[in-house]
């Protein structure tokens, strides 16, 4: 342990010598208690102000209460009393839904004090209909609308849906749906008072009267109201049951309950999740169609790491499956601190005083060419999200990323403002740069001593991709920068990517100065519709590097330089 | 304790019931499969009904997620549920939209379906558990705000009135249930209602919804009498009927404001991070207090909360909910017409109370295995609006330590986080070998407290019978029981055949009182609740029978 500390101190000392850094506490005042506001507007998708909407601002630091404000008659809001940090914002108004802001950074949108934000809400569409079975209307069954394509018809990764129950006439009405394509499915009621239902053992019926493979998609445009009746199949499914070990008793209400998530291996869709309440050590899930499922049990303990069971595959074929054991185990964590290096010669970094508390840190799973997955007993759950819980530096720049299942990760830090770039991430065992092959978590290891160095002097690159004569640009165009200097060839933090706007324009901020190859190409997606990331996907990276080096379109960026009007064409 | 659902989802978690688990447990191939069964007949509107799902839900409540033992009625309306182990079951029709027609007394609210509880013996086959259903009634209408715009996702509350025109159960309708909510058009449709006389209201009611207005923008408004718009209408719902056009117009409520401040130590001025901060409303003369709330200060000891309407409030810091070791001085404040800032809640390091628990007739490890998640709690007595106290989970070795107590009178009690475990009672409290009561004065920290929990391995098995031998087919009956000489006791429900069981009793005499809310066939009128005293021994079952005189057909 001491050796690790010495190593990071040596590393930091070397940088200190190089460029007058503020090594011990990032950004001036360790505790700026001055409070400020985030302001903005809430408008409808046709541009009208929405007075009466609620705006909620939630800090990224755990255990901090969210703050709310109400939009005034001009459509403006101000959320006051905020300390420096990172915040997520959402607006809500009953009957309306959020229109997602464009996000090309693969991390959630976040805001800082002093930011001004415009949030858009739209009325969304409605899907209504009747569920009828062999005995007449099906009363009190839940109907779930899941969005499977976006408004442009592009397949999107599975996400949660909206659920309503049928009434005494078998009718349902699901409103507030964003434009896109939906599938409807029935299930036992999951909202409201917990009681058993007549539908607990039934296999899901998909609109119009189908199994998942033959479910019909409903295309919904903004403001549409579509009628979609479902003929309930009422086929009995099977159960998976067993026990959960490793549950921890606590005195907090409901913390003792464990959650089980069941994902369909073929479609990667969540099939159901349940809570083994009231007895957290026993579980049973009913109404399953034949197929292969992956089960993960979790116990969330506030202020401690989440307990999780390794994903387990279970096949249902014509009968109930009993005797499954899910063993909860602690998960891993990564701890470290942020170091900010200022440069008095090239001073373009902004928001220095609050840099640490405005830097977002997260870890993403890193796919090597030889997959860590073995299909029988995968190390990673299908339902795992591709970035870890987020952390923000505290006043001293420390951060902890919790609840990480075992595997290889690359740590990312979003610079707090323009003018900063991520120079390196070092660990006690990798004093040069983990940017070469990531950080590995084995079991429930707590990796400590990471040092994330952000340096002043980032460059900005703005440009435009143009299509050939008379041609238009395809959707989903991405622009990649790969390091052109040999010493950074394997450094993941020198690979950048961003998306192009509709007119082909793009912006790169927070770039490390240096020489890069630039290439524009269509985004590649995995079979679920998630865009592959160049820092994470070795196969994609090799391909892009080859193309970029063949194309030889280069740019050299100096410290604090802002290059505009960089032109590239697609296809080359 | 009724086995029906209370109208709030949250309260079902807090109710304490005896849970008999009967889930499918792995790999126990050595036990013979249970062969108990429950069967009967189901009618809807008096006629035999096929296709009705009936579940035997293990335990004393239907508020559980799954009930694997179930059956569906055949064309003649008969069902049979098999493979049941001994234990208590709620036999219930899973029929949203239909309700029982057996409404035995004014305190019994039909939520949905028909229900009978059955205490089943090992491999016992019980027949004639008959259930009668009727179609529920419907109330539907539209709620609007200014300019006839729809009031979206507003909660609709119903009041079911008694003969004097007063609400029988308070407000019906749960904020967690979208059955009681308007949709994007402002339209609501509430179905499955028992016949009766109703009033309908929408909007914020402080006594029901608590002092935190939050996003509740509109004040409570009733559906008004079309003939006299100055008073709420009374809607007569017939069995299976439908009341349409029950439209309500909402008026905006008062502006809401926020309150903020910080929590600091009284002497040192050091802020207390993550402190529990409890708010309460201070009622006007004769008005009850609206339910309060608890929030947490942040890393720098600061807190803020929005959504308070003008009024009088009190706030105090306490380590009871979120841990720590301090108690606070309550602070009164008033919200008039702007945000309240700069409140300073002062705290003092609290006292500790530590000791151990044991059970009357079980070893401590054995006892703790049966009552996982046992918590010892101490609450300050007295009618403080901001009751303070502390709680601690009992460690596996039986020890506990509660921190953050205020010097002064306190009361001890036991609770658990796991619902489904019967109420745990204190048998005796002693300190350094000297007996004391469970309410005492605590001037300074105390250790060496020992709580003996009244818990044993004795069982009472009881039977209620009519004196002429006619079998009981349904009823709502309870047995109140108490260890003789103890201050507190408990209540157990009698099943629909008149059977009951009381478990986990320590040796000694127990007083039982039978309370009959309703019974079929009906008992004689005017009889006082029958009582008996029973001697219980650890490790044995003791039988007891109550004989109830039947009603004379010709009159008393």
């Amino acid at each position: 342990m001491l050796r690790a500390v010495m190593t990071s101190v040596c590393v930091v000392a070397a940088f200190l010598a190089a460029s007058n850094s503020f090594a011990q506490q990032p950004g001036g005042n360790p505790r700026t208690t001055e409070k400020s506001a985030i302001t903005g507007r809430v408008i409808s998708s046709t541009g009208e102000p929405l007075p009466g909407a609620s705006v909620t601002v939630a800090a990224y630091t755990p255990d901090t209460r969210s703050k709310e404000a109400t939009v005034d008659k001009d459509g403006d809001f101000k959320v006051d009393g905020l300390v420096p940090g990172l915040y997520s914002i959402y607006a809500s108004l009953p009957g309306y839904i959020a229109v997602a802001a464009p996000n090309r950074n693969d991390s959630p949108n976040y805001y800082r004090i002093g930011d001004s934000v415009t949030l858009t809400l739209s009325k969304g569409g409605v899907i209504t209909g009747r569920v009828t079975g062999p005995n007449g209307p099906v009363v009190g069954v839940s109907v779930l609308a899941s969005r499977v394509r976006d408004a442009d018809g592009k397949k999107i990764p599975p996400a949660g849906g909206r659920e309503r129950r049928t009434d005494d006439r078998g009718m349902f009405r699901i409103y507030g749906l964003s434009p896109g394509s939906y599938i409807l499915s029935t299930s036992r009621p999951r909202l409201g008072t917990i009681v058993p239902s007549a539908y607990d053992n039934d296999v899901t019926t998909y609109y119009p009267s189908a199994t998942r493979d033959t479910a019909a998609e409903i295309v919904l445009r903004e403001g549409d109201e579509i009628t979609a009746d479902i003929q309930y199949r009422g086929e009995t499914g099977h159960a998976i049951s067993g026990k959960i070990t490793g549950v921890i008793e606590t005195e907090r209400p409901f913390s003792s309950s464990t959650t089980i998530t069941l994902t369909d291996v073929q479609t990667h869709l969540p099939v159901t999740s349940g809570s083994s309440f009231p007895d957290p050590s026993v579980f049973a899930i009913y109404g399953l169609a034949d197929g292969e499922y992956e089960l993960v049990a979790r116990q969330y303990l506030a202020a401690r790491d989440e307990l999780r069971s390794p994903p387990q595959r279970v096949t249902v074929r014509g009968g109930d499956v009993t005797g499954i054991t899910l063993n909860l185990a602690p998960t891993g964590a990564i701890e470290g601190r942020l170091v900010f290096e200022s440069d008095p010669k090239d001073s373009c970094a902004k928001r220095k005083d609050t840099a640490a508390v405005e830097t977002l840190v997260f870890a993403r799973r890193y796919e090597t060419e030889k997959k860590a997955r073995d299909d029988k007993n995968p190390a990673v759950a299908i339902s795992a999200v591709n970035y870890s819980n987020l952390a923000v530096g505290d006043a001293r720049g420390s951060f902890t990323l919790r609840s990480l299942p075992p595997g290889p990760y690359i740590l990312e830090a979003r610079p707090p403002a323009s003018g900063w770039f991520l120079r390196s991430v070092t660990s006690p065992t990798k004093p040069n740069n983990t940017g070469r092959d990531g950080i590995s978590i084995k079991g429930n290891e707590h990796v400590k001593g990471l040092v994330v160095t952000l340096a002043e002097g980032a460059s900005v690159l703005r440009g435009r991709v143009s299509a050939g004569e008379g041609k238009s640009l395809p959707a989903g165009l991405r622009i990649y920068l790969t390091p052109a200097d040999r010493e950074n060839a394997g450094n993941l933090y020198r690979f950048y990517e961003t998306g192009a706007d509709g007119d082909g324009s793009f912006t790169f901020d927070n770039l490390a100065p240096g020489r890069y190859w630039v290439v524009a190409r269509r985004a590649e997606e995995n079979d679920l519709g998630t865009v592959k990331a160049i820092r994470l996907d070795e196969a994609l990276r090799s391909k892009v590097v080859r193309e970029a080096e063949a194309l030889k379109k280069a740019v050299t960026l100096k410290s604090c330089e802002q290059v505009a009007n960089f032109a590239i064409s697609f296809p080359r | 304790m009724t086995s029906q659902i209370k109208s709030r989802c949250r309260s079902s978690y807090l109710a304490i019931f005896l849970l008999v688990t009967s889930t499918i447990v792995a790999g126990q191939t050595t036990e013979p499969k249970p062969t108990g069964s429950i069967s009967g007949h189901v009618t809807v509107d008096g006629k035999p009904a096929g296709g009705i799902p009936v579940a035997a839900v293990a335990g004393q409540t239907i508020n559980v997620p799954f009930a694997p033992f179930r059956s569906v009625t055949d064309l003649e309306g008969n069902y049979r549920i098999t493979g049941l182990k001994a234990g208590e079951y709620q036999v219930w029709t899973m029929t949203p939209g239909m309700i029982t027609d057996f409404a035995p007394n004014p305190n019994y609210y039909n939520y949905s379906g028909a229900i009978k509880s059955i205490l089943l013996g090992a491999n016992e086959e019980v027949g004639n558990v008959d259930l009668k259903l009727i179609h529920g009634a419907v109330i539907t209408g539209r709620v609007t705000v200014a300019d006839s715009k729809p009031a979206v996702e507003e909660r609709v509350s119903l009041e079911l009135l008694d003969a004097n025109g007063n609400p029988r159960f308070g407000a019906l309708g749960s904020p967690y249930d979208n059955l009681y909510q308007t949709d994007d058009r402002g339209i609501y449709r509430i179905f499955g209602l028992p016949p009766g006389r109703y009033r309908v209201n929408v909007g914020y009611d402080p006594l029901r919804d608590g002092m935190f207005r939050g996003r509740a923008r509109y004040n409570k408004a009733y559906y008004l009498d079309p003939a006299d718009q100055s008073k709420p209408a009374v809607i007569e719902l017939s069995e299976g009927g439908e009341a349409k056009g029950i439209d309500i117009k909402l008026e905006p409520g008062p502006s809401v404001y926020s309150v903020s401040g910080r929590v600091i130590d009284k002497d040192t001025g050091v802020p207390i991070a993550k402190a529990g901060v409890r708010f309460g409303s201070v009622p006007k003369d004769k008005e009850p207090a609206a339910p309060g709330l608890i929030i947490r200060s942040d890393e720098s000891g600061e807190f803020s909360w929005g959504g308070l309407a003008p009024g009088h409030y009190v706030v105090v810091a306490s380590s009871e909910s979120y841990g720590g070791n301090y108690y606070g001085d309550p602070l009164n404040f008033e919200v008039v017409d702007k945000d309240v800032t700069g409140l300073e809640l002062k705290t003092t390091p609290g006292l500790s109370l530590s000791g151990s628990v044991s059970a009357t007739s079980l070893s401590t490890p054995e006892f703790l295995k049966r009552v996982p998640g046992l918590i010892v709690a101490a609450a300050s007595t007295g009618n403080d609006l901001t009751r303070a106290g502390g709680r601690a989970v009992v460690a596996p070795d039986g020890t506990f330590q509660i921190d953050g107590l205020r010097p002064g009178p306190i009361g001890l009690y036991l609770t658990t986080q796991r619902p489904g475990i019967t109420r745990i009672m204190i048998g005796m409290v002693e300190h350094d070998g000297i007996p004391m009561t469970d309410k005492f004065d605590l001037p300074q920290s105390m250790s060496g407290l020992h709580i003996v929990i009244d818990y044993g391995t004795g069982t009472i098995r009881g039977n209620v019978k009519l004196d002429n031998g006619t079998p009981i087919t349904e009823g709502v009956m309870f047995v109140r029981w108490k260890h003789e000489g103890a201050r507190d006791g408990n209540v157990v429900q009698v099943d629909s055949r008149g059977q009951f069981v009381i478990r986990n009793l320590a040796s000694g005499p127990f007083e039982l009182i039978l309370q009959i809310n309703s019974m079929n066939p009906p008992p004689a009128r005017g009889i006082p609740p029958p009582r008996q005293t029973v001697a219980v021994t650890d490790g044995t079952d003791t039988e007891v029978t109550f004989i109830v005189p039947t009603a004379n057909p010709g009159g008393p």
Side-chain angles (χ1 to χ4, degrees):
Chain A
M1 184 58 189
L2 182 62
R3 185 163 164 275
V5 167
M6 290 306 293
T7 311
S8 27
V9 167
C10 287
V11 164
V12 168
F15 283 125
L16 265 173
S19 57
N20 288 354
S21 64
F22 289 79
Q24 79 284 25
Q25 102 264 312
N29 244 326
R31 176 91 207 136
T32 316
T33 48
E34 239 177 70
K35 296 195 177 182
S36 316
I38 293 179
T39 56
R41 274 169 73 65
V42 180
I43 55 173
S44 73
S45 47
T46 48
E48 282 126 36
L50 290 173
S54 239
V55 175
T56 306
V57 165
Y60 271 70
T61 44
D63 294 329
T64 312
R65 191 141 230 71
S66 51
K67 286 199 192 313
E68 283 187 20
T70 309
V71 173
D72 67 19
K73 56 180 167 36
D74 301 315
D76 299 321
F77 71 87
K78 179 175 180 180
V79 180
D80 225 327
L82 302 171
V83 292
L86 292 180
Y87 295 89
S88 62
I89 301 183
Y90 60 91
S92 66
L93 187 58
Y96 283 80
I97 35 155
V99 173
N103 174 3
R104 290 180 239 110
N105 292 336
D106 300 328
S107 70
N109 277 344
Y110 55 82
Y111 301 92
R112 306 154 305 182
I113 56 173
D115 282 352
S116 185
V117 189
T118 299
L119 300 163
T120 312
L121 297 178
S122 75
K123 275 212 111 138
V126 174
I127 300 179
T128 180
R130 197 188 295 263
V131 182
T132 319
N135 297 333
V138 181
V139 179
V141 75
S142 261
V143 179
L144 176 69
S146 313
R147 192 157 171 263
V148 292
R149 286 181 200 277
D150 65 14
D152 299 322
K154 189 167 103 39
K155 198 159 166 236
I156 55 176
R162 285 201 176 225
E163 185 175 321
R164 300 286 290 200
R165 291 195 310 250
T166 56
D167 65 17
D168 55 311
R169 304 162 300 181
M171 302 213 53
F172 64 91
R173 183 181 179 86
I174 307 174
Y175 55 88
L177 296 171
S178 15
S181 302
Y182 287 84
I183 55 172
L184 295 182
S185 57
T186 64
S187 84
R188 56 169 303 194
R190 287 183 291 214
L191 307 173
T193 316
I194 293 179
V195 281
S197 82
Y199 314 109
D200 294 346
N201 291 333
D202 294 346
V203 172
T204 300
T205 297
Y206 292 85
Y207 167 77
S209 184
T211 58
R212 179 66 183 90
D213 301 330
T214 51
E217 289 181 16
I218 298 166
V219 178
L220 195 72
R221 277 167 284 264
E222 188 176 330
D224 271 357
E225 180 164 325
I226 293 190
T227 302
D229 294 333
I230 298 175
Q231 200 65 30
Y232 195 70
R233 294 168 71 103
E235 291 159 338
T236 308
H238 299 293
I240 297 177
S241 62
K243 57 186 169 77
I244 303 175
T245 65
V247 180
I248 293 190
E249 294 286 346
T250 93
E251 61 219 7
R252 293 282 167 73
F254 315 124
S255 292
S256 286
S257 68
T258 45
T259 325
I260 300 104
T261 311
L262 202 75
T263 313
D264 182 320
V265 171
Q266 203 200 350
T267 64
H268 289 227
L269 284 174
V271 170
T272 185
S273 66
S275 177
S276 60
F277 172 90
D279 183 349
S281 64
V282 173
F283 79 93
I285 302 173
Y286 300 92
L288 297 170
D290 283 357
E292 201 188 354
Y293 299 96
E294 186 175 271
L295 278 80
V296 175
R298 279 184 179 78
Q299 183 180 16
Y300 174 69
L301 301 166
R304 286 185 54 170
D305 295 309
E306 180 183 86
L307 301 182
R308 202 180 296 183
S309 66
Q312 205 177 128
R313 297 274 172 100
V314 177
T315 304
V316 173
R317 192 168 296 131
D320 292 345
V321 180
T322 58
I324 302 296
T325 303
L326 303 172
N327 299 309
L328 289 173
T331 44
I334 294 175
E335 279 174 51
R337 64 195 178 89
L338 302 165
V339 164
F340 292 85
E341 292 173 1
S342 240
D343 190 350
K345 285 193 278 74
D346 269 311
S347 180
C348 58
K350 306 276 191 286
R351 302 181 79 97
K352 287 184 185 175
D353 285 347
T354 51
V357 297
E358 291 179 345
T359 300
L360 188 69
V361 185
F362 53 98
R364 291 195 295 175
R365 188 173 302 280
Y366 175 85
E367 288 288 348
T368 55
E369 296 253 46
K370 35 179 177 53
K371 300 277 190 193
R373 301 177 66 89
D374 148 23
D375 274 351
K376 285 244 165 22
N377 283 311
V380 183
I382 285 170
S383 55
V385 179
N386 195 24
Y387 49 82
S388 69
N389 296 334
L390 306 167
V392 177
D394 68 9
R396 291 175 308 279
S398 311
F399 64 86
T400 306
L401 295 167
R402 293 187 191 281
S403 302
L404 299 171
Y409 289 90
I410 173 167
L411 199 66
E412 299 263 17
R414 291 265 172 266
S418 206
W420 296 102
F421 67 93
L422 176 58
R423 189 200 284 283
S424 68
V425 176
T426 60
S427 78
T429 52
K430 290 191 174 130
N432 290 327
N433 197 347
T434 63
R436 296 196 185 271
D437 36 22
I439 301 161
S440 202
I441 295 202
K442 299 185 210 353
N444 63 334
E445 201 181 334
H446 276 228
V447 174
K448 297 192 200 202
L450 272 295
V451 176
V452 177
T453 304
L454 291 124
E456 182 167 18
S459 24
V460 178
L461 175 66
R462 287 196 181 88
R464 207 158 157 268
V465 185
S466 45
E469 192 67 37
K471 298 211 189 98
S472 56
L473 292 170
L477 205 58
R478 282 186 92 68
I479 300 92
Y480 298 92
L481 299 179
T482 68
D485 40 21
R486 191 167 302 133
E487 79 216 35
N488 281 308
N491 185 353
L492 292 176
Y493 298 119
R494 294 303 179 100
F495 286 81
Y496 299 91
E497 63 178 294
T498 190
D501 282 339
D503 63 353
S505 54
F506 62 87
T507 303
F508 283 98
D509 198 348
N510 309 111
L511 297 173
R515 189 152 178 270
Y516 296 93
W517 301 122
V518 190
V519 62
R521 68 198 304 277
R522 268 181 236 263
E524 278 186 31
E525 290 169 6
N526 61 21
D527 33 351
L528 293 180
T530 316
V531 172
K532 294 184 185 175
I534 197 169
R535 286 185 184 178
L536 304 182
D537 192 312
E538 208 167 297
L540 172 68
R541 193 161 58 245
S542 314
K543 240 191 278 188
V544 174
V545 163
R546 269 198 314 274
E547 287 173 26
E549 288 179 352
L551 187 64
K552 291 204 186 314
K553 178 89 180 170
V555 66
T556 303
L557 298 161
K558 296 200 270 294
S559 192
C560 290
E561 186 177 359
Q562 299 209 1
V563 173
N565 301 320
F566 189 84
I568 50 179
S569 50
F570 178 85
R572 30 253 186 245
Chain B
M1 286 175 282
T2 173
S3 58
Q4 290 291 355
I5 302 159
K6 300 189 181 107
S7 57
R8 277 182 189 251
C9 175
R10 219 182 261 159
S11 59
S12 70
Y13 294 158
L14 299 176
I16 296 171
F17 295 101
L18 178 67
L19 178 70
V20 175
T21 51
S22 73
T23 47
I24 305 168
V25 177
Q28 294 190 3
T29 49
T30 49
E31 277 178 24
K33 275 179 116 101
T35 58
S37 73
I38 294 174
S39 58
H41 187 244
V42 181
T43 59
V44 175
D45 297 334
K47 296 194 276 290
I52 303 283
V54 183
V57 186
Q60 284 196 3
T61 170
I62 53 173
N63 294 159
V64 292
F66 291 110
F69 298 102
R70 50 177 71 196
S71 162
V72 178
T73 56
D74 61 20
L75 290 172
E76 282 90 51
N78 296 316
Y79 74 90
R80 187 184 166 81
I81 305 170
T82 57
L84 299 171
K85 297 194 311 207
E88 182 152 9
Y89 293 92
Q90 307 303 315
V91 184
W92 182 52
T93 62
M94 295 177 287
T95 50
M98 288 198 254
I99 49 178
T100 183
D101 84 343
F102 175 59
N105 75 19
N107 292 326
Y108 189 86
Y109 177 65
N110 303 332
Y111 175 75
S112 93
I115 191 168
K116 282 190 176 175
S117 62
I118 296 284
L119 198 54
L120 195 71
N123 300 320
E124 189 183 356
E125 304 202 334
V126 178
N128 301 318
V129 183
D130 298 339
L131 300 157
K132 299 191 194 54
L133 293 167
I134 57 172
H135 280 97
V138 175
I139 296 180
T140 178
R142 190 159 179 267
V143 183
T144 52
V145 295
D147 304 327
S148 298
K149 289 217 178 66
V152 182
E153 284 173 9
E154 290 293 328
R155 178 188 158 191
V156 181
S157 268
L158 301 181
E159 294 167 5
L160 178 55
L161 306 177
D162 62 16
N164 298 324
N166 295 321
R168 279 157 62 179
F169 310 102
L172 300 176
S174 160
Y176 309 104
D177 191 345
N178 57 29
L179 178 66
Y180 286 86
Q181 223 183 38
T182 58
D183 65 18
D184 58 314
R185 305 163 297 180
I187 294 176
Y188 67 91
R189 183 184 179 85
I190 305 170
F191 63 91
L193 294 168
R197 303 166 70 237
Y198 289 84
R199 287 199 298 246
V200 185
N201 70 72
V202 184
Y204 172 78
D205 177 352
L207 292 182
R208 177 194 66 207
D209 303 324
M211 50 167 272
F212 167 54
R213 269 194 85 105
R215 300 206 189 118
R217 279 176 289 261
Y218 306 100
N219 282 338
K220 177 170 158 184
Y222 282 90
Y223 168 67
L224 299 171
D225 190 340
D228 178 0
Q229 294 267 289
S230 69
K231 58 185 194 6
V234 174
I235 300 161
E236 297 269 357
L237 269 194
S238 58
E239 202 177 285
E242 181 167 334
K244 292 199 260 240
I246 309 300
D247 299 339
I248 299 172
K249 277 211 241 308
L250 292 177
E251 300 293 338
S255 298
V256 294
Y257 301 94
S258 66
V259 58
S260 58
R262 60 190 190 128
V263 182
I264 56 173
D265 180 282
K266 192 177 205 171
D267 292 324
T268 65
V270 171
I272 315 267
K274 304 196 186 175
V277 175
R278 306 176 77 105
F279 285 89
S281 72
V282 177
K284 294 200 266 280
D285 225 20
K286 290 189 190 164
E287 238 180 42
L293 68 132
I294 307 172
I295 63 172
R296 219 172 169 190
S297 71
D298 64 16
E299 300 279 348
S300 53
E302 292 174 9
F303 65 88
S304 76
W305 192 255
L308 297 179
H312 293 266
Y313 302 93
V314 64
V315 61
V316 71
S318 153
S319 59
E320 180 172 5
S321 312
Y322 294 109
N325 184 11
Y326 53 88
Y327 62 90
D329 300 334
L331 193 61
N332 282 283
F333 67 95
E334 192 186 353
V335 174
V336 179
D337 57 3
K338 57 183 203 297
D339 294 339
V340 175
T341 57
L343 294 182
E344 276 203 347
L345 301 183
K346 305 215 170 98
T347 65
T348 310
L351 304 179
S352 312
L353 185 60
S354 59
S356 60
V357 308
S358 64
T360 330
S361 13
L362 282 176
S363 72
T364 304
E366 187 54 48
F367 164 64
L368 290 177
K369 227 193 298 183
R370 292 171 191 229
V371 189
L374 179 66
I375 293 169
V376 180
S380 57
T381 54
N383 57 3
D384 198 353
L385 261 178
T386 50
R387 178 191 66 78
R391 50 176 53 198
V393 173
V394 174
D397 63 358
T399 57
F400 66 88
Q401 176 164 328
I402 303 172
D403 293 325
L405 295 173
R406 182 200 299 273
I410 58 160
L412 291 177
Y413 61 98
L414 301 168
T415 182
T416 83
Q417 286 299 357
R418 298 262 205 89
I421 295 180
T422 193
R423 198 168 116 211
I424 309 293
M425 283 173 297
I426 295 177
M428 185 170 67
V429 179
E430 56 188 20
H431 182 231
D432 291 340
I434 300 169
M436 42 193 279
T437 63
D438 58 356
K439 291 194 192 336
F440 53 89
D441 198 62
L442 189 73
Q444 65 214 22
S445 290
M446 184 192 283
S447 63
L449 193 69
H450 187 71
I451 302 175
V452 180
I453 297 172
D454 192 1
Y455 194 99
T457 53
T459 308
I460 293 176
R461 292 194 180 275
N463 237 308
V464 179
K465 289 187 170 28
L466 289 165
D467 61 1
N468 63 4
T470 322
I472 297 173
T473 56
E474 58 200 335
V476 179
M477 294 181 274
F478 300 95
V479 170
R480 297 190 179 283
W481 60 267
K482 194 160 77 90
H483 199 150
E484 203 178 74
R487 193 188 58 221
D488 295 322
N490 210 342
V491 176
V492 75
Q493 187 178 25
V494 179
D495 86 353
S496 54
R497 297 186 295 165
Q499 295 186 19
F500 63 93
V501 68
I502 311 173
R503 298 181 207 277
N504 302 318
L505 301 173
S507 295
F510 283 82
E511 299 169 358
L512 307 181
I513 304 175
L514 173 65
Q515 180 187 318
I516 302 174
N517 287 2
S518 61
M519 185 158 64
N520 229 350
R525 292 156 66 126
I527 54 160
R531 305 170 159 255
Q532 284 199 49
T533 302
V534 179
V536 170
T537 318
D538 275 295
T540 60
D541 285 7
T542 308
E543 308 250 336
V544 67
T545 302
F546 282 95
I547 310 274
V548 174
T550 18
N552 280 336

